[in-house]
Amino acid sequence: MEFLINLILLLFLAAVTIGIIGVRNLFAVVVLGGAYSFLMATLLIAMDAVDVGMTEAAVGAGVSTVLLLSALHLTNTEEAPAKHSNVLPIALSLLTGAVLVYGTWDLPRYGEADTAVNSYVGDEYLARSIPETTIPNVVTSVLATYRGYDTLGETAVIFTAGIGVLMLLKGRRRKEDEDEEEERS
Amino acid sequence: MEGLNELAFVLGGVNHWITVFLIMAGLYIIVSRSNMIKKLVGLSIFQTSVYLLYVSPGKIIGGTAPIIIANAPDQMYSNPLPHVLILTAIVVGVATLALGLALVVRINEAYGSIEEDEVYSGEDWN
């Protein structure tokens, strides 16, 4: 049953992705991107990653879509027809895909418990979370305590990106003001 | 018996292979399209498929979300570590997207286009 739900959601994801490749109207692309993110969030929840699913629904489908829509408002909503041939990109992605599929032969099969991924650190966190931090949600306890510096670094990245966006868009406003002054004089 | 094993192998691999397909699609959009917003959407698809690549090996069939249930010592839980790593990756992803879009808006102002070809051809480097 879990296989089946997974498979259906994954096929939906693949279908939406093909739609994104084909559609030329950027507005439609952004809306399809939102649908993609919600499907991804559902899939992550089906894989027991409830915290990740919730974040993906809020950040991926919510914030990203709003950002893309506001960028579309400031630019252009129609994509120009392609000028170059698609042969090289298709060859490149097929080559990458072939290498990655070759790599999956060594990956553990889906859903097994006794794999290297699920044997060492994960079990340790699960066993220690309640005695050491008293937090039942293990993802929270790992995020905030054991890997707290990771989260600090993440905050630094957001801070830097926020400053970058502000500086880029601030230059824009100044230029508009200058244009207006030129028009007046 | 042999056939059953092969079926389990294929079913267990489907997750990885569709993830690989999503990675290929994201890469294809980034390389082939000259529209910068579409490139950024492709980059997002690439990023989200990496989430799948991380989270799916941590899933245990018969397990549940890693929130400890009191008085259930035999309950199996999925691996919490990939979830933590991917939480960080999602937030960094949206930061990258925001910065990229701000750059696209500025490029559109400077060159009047968000198509890479037109930006390259109509350039006046000063």
Side-chain angles (χ1 to χ4, degrees), chain A residues 14 44 128:
Chain A
L44 286 168
R128 285 188 185 190

Side-chain angles (χ1 to χ4, degrees), chain A residues 2 7 10 17 20-21 23 36 48 55 74 79-80 86 104 108-111 117-118 122 136 138 158 168 172, chain B residues 9 12-17 22 24 28 33 38 48 57 59 61 66 68 78-79 87 91 106 108-109 115 117:
Chain A
E2 289 184 69
L7 188 64
L10 281 166
T17 313
I20 290 177
I21 293 177
V23 172
Y36 175 93
D48 293 344
T55 315
L74 293 170
E79 187 185 353
N86 282 337
T104 62
R109 300 289 101 185
Y110 176 71
V117 183
N118 295 328
V138 184
I158 302 171
L168 280 168
R172 168 170 180 268
Chain B
F9 182 82
V14 162
N15 244 26
H16 301 317
W17 299 330
L22 294 180
M24 284 165 63
Y28 172 75
R33 296 304 146 107
K38 188 125 183 201
T48 13
K59 162 77 179 162
I61 298 266
I68 307 278
S78 292
N79 192 346
L87 273 180
V91 175
R106 295 286 285 130
N108 184 48
E109 270 165 16
E115 301 285 335
D117 302 334

